[in-house]
Amino acid sequence: MLRLTKLINRHLSLRISLMVVMAMAILLMASLAVMLHYSRKAVKEETIHKAMATLESTVTHIDNILLSVEQSTGNVYFAMMPYITQPEKMYEFSQKLVETNPYVAGCAIAFKEDYYKDRKLFMAYMHCGESGGVAYAGSRIEQDETFGDLPYTEQIWFTKPMETGAPTWVNPLKGMEDSDEAPIMTFSLPIPDSDGKPIGVIGVDVSLRVLSTIMVEAKLSPNSYSTLLDNEGTFIVHPDSSKLMQQTAIALSGKEIDPSAREAVQAMVSGEEGYKPFRLHNEDFYVFYKPFKRKAVPGRSTAELGWSAGIVYPEDDIFGDYNSLMYYVLIIAAVGLLLMFVLSRLVIHRQLMPLNMLTREAHRIANGQYDVQIPMSKRGDEVGRLQENFRQMQQTLSTNIGEMEQLKVKLQEHGEELKIAYKRA
């Protein structure tokens, strides 16, 4: 370090080059810092805009599916009411609903105990066969007498609308996570009697795996995905169907060391709108979320479901290109500064060569060599004028020294003559 300091102090061209490069580096870094700051801000704002637009589209897509199921259920409800006293007709209406709506995986028309005098319990349940992932015209429809491991009178899709008398969406497999049944959610429409009291429920099942498959296409990048949570943090829609009804987002975030994941889930469950960064499996993500708002349609229930839609976006997908560009810019800036230093060092050194020559000649003159020949300068700048003045000074000094030498010789000769004359006298 000391040798480097001495080297810098000894060479003016090196000091000037370093000062030029340092000044340029400060200006360049300040400019790059401002540019990169606003570029990152612009990338982030664009991502937020795209994410919210995609999220809105996702919510609308899901809501359209739910609305189509609700409308199909309403149509079947009005068609079956004239035949409500004929239990065998319920199978036809249940099958019709499964066949006519592509998103319906099953339909159960169930009544309270002893509604039909000759039957204590009655439920007409039709669903798509195992070969049919989605119901469609011509798909194999199967009939079951039971649904799940519990009597239907104890299942939430039946008990909740019977208590409230209002149509609702429920996750019927809550408490049945170990069941072999495919994860579904159910739209439950109560069937009222003449007094308005529920006598039964139409339960229409929608496969969560089908919805998750549809939502795989709603993404901003190859690694992003959409998700939908209920008010308890349970996954309703998720690209990984193994997480449906098996694990809650809160439970998953609770396993993470970084509390940011838990904060993001809590924000979604609380019905907030916005975005949050979080870490999951040692990777950085952003989650953009908003409450699930149902479209207002005449005759549709206005009750909110308490769901929250979100889109998870890896940070590398957001700022990957920006970070690569930043590294390229920094490398180019460093190479540019190095080239500038080398070129300025060569140019300044070349421009200072006359000064180096004058320094050597001045040293020789100081040692008594007055007859040195300093070349004429062809430059008209300060260095050229300095060299020309120094050359003239050297010539004048050489002439004066020559005259002084001649005078000295003459004085010596005159002194010798005086000595001889003095001796003679």
Side-chain angles (χ1 to χ4, degrees):
M1 187 65 183
L2 184 60
R3 294 179 59 185
L4 179 60
T5 303
K6 290 182 177 180
L7 179 64
I8 294 174
N9 291 332
R10 287 182 57 188
H11 294 83
L12 178 60
S13 61
L14 181 58
R15 291 203 304 274
I16 296 176
S17 300
L18 288 176
M19 287 189 290
V20 170
V21 171
M22 288 180 63
M24 290 299 300
I26 292 173
L27 292 175
L28 182 61
M29 289 300 106
S31 301
L32 288 178
V34 173
M35 182 189 71
L36 293 175
H37 170 73
Y38 284 102
S39 297
R40 184 181 179 89
K41 184 178 179 181
V43 170
K44 189 173 182 179
E45 290 177 352
E46 182 183 0
T47 301
I48 293 173
H49 176 74
K50 290 171 59 179
M52 288 304 178
T54 303
L55 200 57
E56 182 67 28
S57 175
T58 301
V59 170
T60 302
H61 192 179
I62 296 177
D63 190 47
N64 287 339
I65 295 174
L66 303 186
L67 181 59
S68 72
V69 173
E70 294 173 14
Q71 291 176 335
S72 297
T73 306
N75 293 336
V76 168
Y77 165 78
F78 287 110
M80 63 172 270
M81 288 306 293
Y83 305 95
I84 194 69
T85 58
Q86 304 177 29
E88 298 303 324
K89 279 282 189 179
M90 300 301 106
Y91 292 102
E92 297 179 10
F93 290 111
S94 177
Q95 180 174 348
K96 181 179 179 181
L97 183 54
V98 176
E99 290 178 337
T100 55
N101 192 300
Y103 301 110
V104 173
C107 175
I109 302 177
F111 293 88
K112 65 180 182 179
E113 292 185 17
D114 299 321
Y115 177 73
Y116 294 111
K117 295 181 180 180
D118 57 339
R119 305 185 184 188
K120 183 176 181 59
L121 296 176
F122 177 80
M123 178 182 70
Y125 178 53
M126 307 294 290
H127 64 93
C128 292
E130 295 181 358
S131 60
V134 179
Y136 54 91
S139 61
R140 183 160 61 90
I141 308 300
E142 296 181 353
Q143 174 181 333
D144 282 347
E145 296 296 333
T146 61
F147 171 72
D149 299 330
L150 298 174
Y152 71 82
T153 53
E154 299 179 18
Q155 296 180 23
I156 188 173
W157 67 269
F158 184 83
T159 59
K160 187 173 182 178
M162 289 293 289
E163 294 174 0
T164 63
T168 184
W169 283 92
V170 296
N171 293 332
L173 293 186
K174 285 185 177 179
M176 302 170 62
E177 289 81 358
D178 296 332
S179 173
D180 293 333
E181 299 288 346
I184 59 174
M185 64 179 178
T186 299
F187 174 65
S188 297
L189 179 65
I191 305 172
D193 59 9
S194 58
D195 297 330
K197 296 181 180 180
I199 58 173
V201 174
I202 302 177
V204 183
D205 301 332
V206 178
S207 173
L208 298 184
R209 288 195 177 99
V210 172
L211 291 182
S212 295
T213 302
I214 294 173
M215 302 319 299
V216 166
E217 301 177 358
K219 54 172 56 182
L220 296 173
S221 69
N223 299 314
S224 65
Y225 59 90
S226 299
T227 184
L228 188 66
L229 303 180
D230 65 8
N231 55 2
E232 297 180 3
T234 303
F235 289 112
I236 298 175
V237 173
H238 194 283
D240 185 358
S241 59
S242 63
K243 290 183 171 60
L244 301 177
M245 302 300 299
Q246 301 299 321
Q247 302 181 74
T248 66
I250 296 178
L252 289 175
S253 64
K255 299 176 183 179
E256 303 299 325
I257 299 176
D258 196 322
S260 59
R262 192 179 305 109
E263 294 176 1
V265 173
Q266 291 292 349
M268 292 185 65
V269 174
S270 300
E272 299 178 13
E273 180 176 349
Y275 69 94
K276 281 184 180 295
F278 69 97
R279 289 185 63 82
L280 186 66
H281 305 309
N282 297 322
E283 295 184 18
D284 293 322
F285 294 86
Y286 276 83
V287 58
F288 303 86
Y289 48 85
K290 64 176 298 182
F292 187 94
K293 298 293 185 181
R294 305 173 72 188
K295 183 178 180 180
V297 176
R300 191 182 193 188
S301 173
T302 58
E304 294 296 337
L305 301 178
W307 297 351
S308 180
I311 183 168
V312 179
Y313 204 163
E315 186 174 293
D316 288 341
D317 288 5
I318 300 176
F319 298 111
D321 293 338
Y322 167 84
N323 292 333
S324 299
L325 178 61
M326 181 180 66
Y327 295 144
Y328 290 142
V329 169
L330 292 177
I331 292 173
I332 292 173
V335 173
L337 290 174
L338 180 61
L339 291 176
M340 178 179 291
F341 170 76
V342 173
L343 292 176
S344 62
R345 176 80 168 84
L346 293 175
V347 172
I348 295 174
H349 178 73
R350 183 177 180 83
Q351 295 298 317
L352 294 180
M353 286 180 63
L355 294 181
N356 295 330
M357 182 269 294
L358 293 178
T359 301
R360 291 192 302 270
E361 300 305 328
H363 181 71
R364 292 173 61 185
I365 292 174
N367 291 334
Q369 301 178 18
Y370 304 108
D371 57 345
V372 295
Q373 296 296 325
I374 298 177
M376 294 181 62
S377 176
K378 298 180 180 180
R379 298 170 53 172
D381 57 7
E382 291 82 355
V383 176
R385 292 194 296 271
L386 175 62
Q387 182 177 342
E388 184 62 24
N389 291 334
F390 196 87
R391 187 182 69 83
Q392 294 177 4
M393 181 188 70
Q394 182 271 332
Q395 290 177 349
T396 303
L397 182 61
S398 178
T399 301
N400 292 337
I401 294 298
E403 293 177 352
M404 291 178 64
E405 289 294 336
Q406 292 177 3
L407 181 58
K408 179 181 177 181
V409 172
K410 290 181 180 180
L411 289 175
Q412 288 178 348
E413 292 177 353
H414 187 62
E416 291 297 330
E417 292 176 355
L418 289 175
K419 286 182 180 180
I420 295 174
Y422 180 75
K423 288 181 180 180
R424 289 178 181 177

